[in-house]
Amino acid sequence: MSPVQVRPAALLGFDLMHLNKEEEKILNGEKGEGPAKAMELLVAIGKIYDADRLIPIESAQIAGVSYKTMGDAGLQFIQDFADLAKVKVEAMLNPAGMDLEEKNYESDDFRRKQAQLINAYRKLGIEMTCTCTPYLIGKRPEVRDHLAWSESSAVSFANSVLGARTNREGGPSALMAAIIGKTPNYGLHLKENRKPDIVYEVNAEVPHSLLGYLVGREIGEKIPYFKGLKPSEDDLKTLGAAMAATGSVAMYHVEGKTPEAGDFSTDELEKIKIESEDIEKIRDELRTNFEPDVIVIGCPHLSKNEMEDIGQRLKEKEKKNGPDLFVYTSRRVKEESNEAVAEIERFGKVISDTCMVVSPLEDNYNVAATNSGKAAAYLPRLANQEVIYADLKTLMEMIS
Ligand code: F3S
């Protein structure tokens, strides 16, 4: 018997969430064991969060792709599921634990199992995007699209910058939503839950990564509203990623910039001022006495503009003895950034399909320097690194 078990609908008590006839049939196993199991999880989540019904989604984005985070149990689960179901809507993958074009990996246990995991996701019908920035490779949702995305930085970007609607899904719930093509209607799918909780008045020119690092830590899972910022889209990507890492922020507003910022009054909200001294304290926390042995850039994966910026900074410079350099971006952006890739690869490597956190960086390095607030938050925990935060200019000076 398959390890994926189906429980009869009656045991789930789905009276708390309305299911239509078709959904009931799926839950009762009439459409197969895989869809029944997927429906069972969605119904359980709907019940926990008091959702009234399931709503159709435009796409799912699935995290939990690296063998480093999934392990053997996760690999087995996805392989079992791949025998039972296929996704019904556009579904994409987050970064894996290695570059998918890497050759000769069969002798290496980690890479062999990573390839098996990727193959199981492929069998489920999921696209091998392997990026945390799908919105930079043409997978850009429309305002009010409902989604089931699970990469926290992509969730934040989709909700805040694009005005789409997604909860911060786990890998399994995003996958089950992809199989059914629906998600429970609760949380950030409802307009009333998208209103801001606290206003941050930023009175200084600050790096968005450090601002996000600070605010995420303070605000937890609430929704911040920023005043005083003039961010580019890349700044917003960086800001949201850092807040999602040090806190659980899944949505934010920026006055005059993000699409729903004007929909809510902030008059009655608590106001907190952020001055440059607040940011300097964070910068001090992220110093260490060690020298970096690697520089990692691209958390979240870099945009074409960011790639070109790095390429320009390195143009006509000479490589000096210093740390190794890894730059992470999606495969598509890499392919579209040939000139920048050529400049960067005089100094280090441009890597796709993976990142510094979900690949086994710790096998070869101990001290990582980065300009990413999210990477600074995750690398100590998930890749056993001492971390140095530095801006891009300083990182470039370490190698050229
Ligand atoms: Fe992306 Fe990896 Fe950072 S998935 S957001 S580069 S931790």
Side-chain angles (χ1 to χ4, degrees):
M1 177 164 158
S2 155
V4 178
Q5 309 271 325
V6 180
R7 284 202 290 146
L11 293 181
L12 291 165
F14 58 74
D15 51 306
L16 284 179
M17 182 168 76
H18 173 76
L19 295 187
N20 65 28
K21 288 270 175 296
E22 185 65 16
E23 292 161 353
E24 277 185 33
K25 278 186 190 167
I26 296 172
L27 185 63
N28 285 325
E30 291 176 40
K31 304 286 176 181
E33 197 178 350
K37 187 72 187 168
M39 183 62 89
E40 187 179 315
L41 182 75
L42 297 184
V43 168
I45 292 170
K47 192 169 167 178
I48 291 166
Y49 291 102
D50 213 8
D52 59 343
R53 64 197 159 97
L54 293 171
I55 48 171
I57 54 167
E58 300 300 321
S59 66
Q61 193 266 356
I62 294 147
V65 185
S66 171
Y67 176 69
K68 175 174 163 178
T69 51
M70 292 292 274
D72 285 328
L75 170 61
Q76 188 66 56
F77 176 79
I78 300 297
Q79 284 178 324
D80 288 341
F81 227 94
D83 289 335
L84 299 173
K86 281 230 177 307
V87 298
K88 265 180 95 171
V89 291
E90 178 176 66
M92 307 161 270
L93 282 189
N94 216 34
M98 67 177 187
D99 188 317
L100 298 192
E101 292 196 347
E102 209 169 297
K103 303 273 184 287
N104 304 323
Y105 54 78
E106 288 84 354
S107 60
D108 178 296
D109 192 54
F110 178 91
R111 288 174 172 73
R112 196 163 27 82
K113 287 185 169 165
Q114 179 64 75
Q116 290 169 2
L117 187 50
I118 286 291
N119 284 339
Y121 278 123
R122 188 177 280 121
K123 194 170 167 191
L124 278 154
I126 300 169
E127 284 182 61
M128 300 294 109
T129 47
C130 292
T131 181
C132 46
T133 56
Y135 47 85
L136 296 178
I137 59 164
K139 315 283 186 190
R140 207 169 166 97
E142 304 281 327
V143 174
R144 284 187 291 279
D145 275 358
H146 292 283
L147 318 170
W149 284 19
S150 56
E151 155 53 38
S152 63
S153 68
V155 165
S156 173
F157 194 93
N159 278 318
S160 315
V161 184
L162 302 178
R165 298 184 176 191
T166 175
N167 286 316
R168 189 170 154 151
E169 301 289 346
S173 64
L175 175 59
M176 301 309 147
I179 287 167
I180 301 299
K182 295 178 181 176
T183 193
N185 188 34
Y186 73 97
L188 292 172
H189 292 287
L190 304 171
K191 182 74 179 179
E192 64 265 30
N193 295 328
R194 298 169 68 85
K195 57 182 185 308
D197 297 300
I198 299 177
V199 175
Y200 286 89
E201 295 170 345
V202 185
N203 298 317
E205 286 264 316
V206 294
H208 290 82
S209 50
L210 292 187
L211 176 64
Y213 192 101
L214 170 68
V215 171
R217 206 162 61 172
E218 285 186 354
I219 202 169
E221 58 183 21
K222 291 185 181 156
I223 299 180
Y225 186 106
F226 291 97
K227 294 189 176 187
L229 293 183
K230 293 202 171 34
S232 66
E233 189 173 297
D234 288 328
D235 293 332
L236 293 171
K237 167 167 78 83
T238 306
L239 173 72
M243 288 192 291
T246 56
S248 305
V249 176
M251 174 156 197
Y252 62 90
H253 303 279
V254 178
E255 188 176 54
K257 189 77 187 178
T258 54
E260 292 171 69
D263 295 357
F264 305 99
S265 165
T266 57
D267 294 350
E268 305 296 316
L269 297 182
E270 179 188 356
K271 315 257 181 328
I272 296 176
K273 287 195 188 328
I274 297 209
E275 313 285 352
S276 35
E277 304 87 79
D278 302 310
I279 298 298
E280 285 316 306
K281 279 190 204 143
I282 298 290
R283 209 188 282 275
D284 284 344
E285 272 183 42
L286 294 172
R287 284 191 219 281
T288 159
N289 292 327
F290 300 104
E291 288 294 316
D293 47 23
V294 64
I295 295 172
V296 287
I297 302 173
C299 172
H301 278 175
L302 297 186
S303 67
K304 191 160 179 268
N305 279 344
E306 291 172 310
M307 289 288 291
E308 284 168 358
D309 181 24
I310 297 174
Q312 276 303 323
R313 287 169 189 261
L314 292 174
K315 209 166 185 169
E316 290 166 17
K317 296 268 175 63
E318 290 306 319
K319 183 172 164 49
K320 70 179 186 192
N321 265 347
D324 288 347
L325 169 69
F326 295 138
V327 172
Y328 299 88
T329 187
S330 62
R331 183 157 303 283
R332 170 140 152 212
V333 168
K334 182 178 177 182
E335 286 166 0
E336 288 172 350
S337 311
N338 285 334
E339 267 184 46
V341 170
E343 288 295 345
I344 295 167
E345 294 208 323
R346 293 194 299 116
F347 294 81
K349 231 175 149 208
V350 177
I351 303 175
S352 296
D353 307 322
T354 185
C355 80
M356 67 289 272
V357 172
V358 299
S359 63
L361 190 74
E362 61 276 24
D363 287 357
N364 298 306
Y365 300 98
N366 299 307
V367 186
T370 185
N371 60 343
S372 160
K374 176 167 178 175
Y378 278 4
L379 283 169
R381 251 189 301 143
L382 299 175
N384 209 18
Q385 300 292 299
E386 290 279 343
V387 170
I388 300 164
Y389 174 86
D391 58 24
L392 188 58
K393 181 167 175 284
T394 310
L395 294 178
M396 296 294 99
E397 286 166 358
M398 290 175 185
I399 51 165
S400 62

